[in-house]
Amino acid sequence: LVGASHWTLEVRLRFGCPLMRLLPPLLLRLLPCLLAADAFSPSRVGGGFRPLQTPLYSAAPSDTSDDGTLDIPPSVRSASERVEDCKASLKLACDGTDIGTASSDVEDRIRALERLGEDAGFGQASALSGLMSGEWELIYSSDDVTRSSPFFWAFRRAYPESSDQIFGITDFIPAPIKEVGPATQTIEVDSASRPVTGTLVSRVRVATLGGAATSIMTTRCTILAADGLDGLRLRVDTTKPEESTVLKKLGPLGEAISSNSPPFPSGDALERAAPGSSEVGLRTTYCDEGLRVTRNDDRMGDVFVWKRIGAKFGDGATASV
């Protein structure tokens, strides 16, 4: 069950499975974070999870003349149009791909946008531009949706030899036993401070038993500093299943349990397993008002495309450098 039953599942695994008796005690303590709310599964259920269909902003802030009309040089307009066309093509490809399924077509378009943005001067210097702040929804992931959370990046650093085996076991639990998505991130960056500081909150909705039980696996991170123009150093702090429907069904008792249950100090636990493992690098190779492309600094082949929630896309009305 979501939120409540992962402790029972942990006990069963710890005492009932030979593999669990071989795992180090610290790894067993981390299993609630890995198994809580059944937070691993393919997202390919009945044709795949589809994100909310909201549009995206164009590539740069607006520039208008005194009479309210755009005053943009032809060369800039041409570059902006190419970026917008590339973004539209990428979004279309993402919409046609199940999240959590790697696609060479999507990733070719991601690389094209990264090159075009760098050449045209759009979507760059994400760590300092101020555009990272906001709420974002995942629309493409080259790996399981849960891997968009920095917790799993840190877990891989703490357990480089066994993490893929553990992920592999849980990833193959089929739907509809587990369904994952949507995944969102809420980012607050103070790009004017030195060092750059802020917070990142990762939320992944997990449903089990055909949606009868759901929760939001929530990992909270601290932004420690900028790493170059397009990187942020994060420290994973805590992980907790929130908004459990099982607990909500218990009424006031469930609310009391939820509010009084502290988050698991996943960052501290990871540090005891491998000093420095709780810190990860978030590399954002493109970011504007509507679209963000992020990679894991330790695994640059892992790529995630995020859409700003509530943004507009394709109006072609704004462009500047």
Side-chain angles (χ1 to χ4, degrees), residues 65-141:
S65 60
D66 293 339
D67 62 0
T69 61
L70 288 177
D71 186 12
I72 303 173
S75 61
V76 176
R77 183 186 300 276
S78 177
S80 174
E81 289 173 350
R82 291 198 303 272
V83 170
E84 292 300 321
D85 289 345
C86 192
K87 286 169 55 181
S89 173
L90 172 58
K91 183 178 181 294
L92 183 63
C94 290
D95 288 344
T97 303
D98 295 341
I99 299 182
T101 302
S103 166
S104 58
D105 177 48
V106 171
E107 294 186 27
D108 285 344
R109 300 182 196 210
I110 291 173
R111 286 188 288 269
L113 178 61
E114 290 171 331
R115 289 193 300 268
L116 184 57
E118 184 175 1
D119 292 343
F122 289 103
Q124 304 302 294
S126 58
L128 305 177
S129 68
L131 294 176
M132 290 278 289
S133 294
E135 189 172 3
W136 302 85
E137 180 187 1
L138 186 69
I139 62 173
Y140 175 79
S141 171

Side-chain angles (χ1 to χ4, degrees), residues 7 39 73 174 250 256 264 306:
W7 301 108
L250 298 178
F264 181 72
W306 301 84

Side-chain angles (χ1 to χ4, degrees), residues 7-290:
W7 301 108
T8 303
L9 179 57
E10 179 194 4
V11 172
R12 290 179 179 173
L13 287 172
R14 188 183 298 201
F15 297 103
C17 174
L19 174 62
M20 293 300 107
R21 292 196 292 270
L22 297 178
L23 294 176
L26 181 55
L27 181 53
L28 286 173
R29 289 195 63 202
L30 286 168
L31 278 175
C33 290
L34 297 173
L35 296 172
D38 298 315
F40 297 86
S41 75
S43 57
R44 300 172 287 280
V45 181
F49 162 73
R50 289 289 184 273
L52 296 173
Q53 298 298 315
T54 55
L56 304 175
Y57 282 117
S58 56
S62 62
D63 244 338
T64 58
S65 60
D66 293 339
D67 62 0
T69 61
L70 288 177
D71 186 12
I72 303 173
S75 61
V76 176
R77 183 186 300 276
S78 177
S80 174
E81 289 173 350
R82 291 198 303 272
V83 170
E84 292 300 321
D85 289 345
C86 192
K87 286 169 55 181
S89 173
L90 172 58
K91 183 178 181 294
L92 183 63
C94 290
D95 288 344
T97 303
D98 295 341
I99 299 182
T101 302
S103 166
S104 58
D105 177 48
V106 171
E107 294 186 27
D108 285 344
R109 300 182 196 210
I110 291 173
R111 286 188 288 269
L113 178 61
E114 290 171 331
R115 289 193 300 268
L116 184 57
E118 184 175 1
D119 292 343
F122 289 103
Q124 304 302 294
S126 58
L128 305 177
S129 68
L131 294 176
M132 290 278 289
S133 294
E135 189 172 3
W136 302 85
E137 180 187 1
L138 186 69
I139 62 173
Y140 175 79
S141 171
S142 60
D143 202 344
D144 187 84
V145 173
T146 58
R147 303 305 126 74
S148 65
S149 170
F151 169 77
F152 296 98
W153 303 4
F155 188 86
R156 269 200 171 107
R157 300 195 76 196
Y159 298 98
E161 302 299 327
S162 58
S163 59
D164 284 340
Q165 294 176 348
I166 295 171
F167 294 164
I169 293 171
T170 54
D171 285 349
F172 278 103
I173 298 176
I177 297 176
K178 298 177 185 177
E179 300 177 35
V180 181
T184 64
Q185 288 184 351
T186 302
I187 303 175
E188 295 294 336
V189 181
D190 184 355
S191 56
S193 68
R194 294 296 179 269
V196 171
T197 59
T199 59
L200 183 149
V201 181
S202 167
R203 295 181 175 91
V204 181
R205 179 184 180 273
V206 182
T208 61
L209 305 177
T214 65
S215 70
I216 309 296
M217 290 304 302
T218 303
T219 294
R220 299 181 185 276
C221 305
T222 297
I223 297 173
L224 301 174
D227 183 9
L229 296 177
D230 60 358
L232 294 173
R233 296 300 302 172
L234 310 178
R235 182 184 66 234
V236 173
D237 295 325
T238 63
T239 302
K240 180 182 179 180
E242 298 179 348
E243 301 181 25
S244 168
T245 57
V246 172
L247 292 180
K248 288 180 180 179
K249 291 176 182 177
L250 298 178
L253 175 61
E255 293 179 6
I257 294 174
S258 179
S259 60
N260 293 316
S261 298
F264 181 72
S266 49
D268 290 343
L270 291 166
E271 283 295 315
R272 289 195 290 272
S277 62
S278 68
E279 294 187 16
V280 297
L282 183 80
R283 188 68 52 182
T284 299
T285 54
Y286 183 91
C287 180
D288 63 20
E289 288 95 334

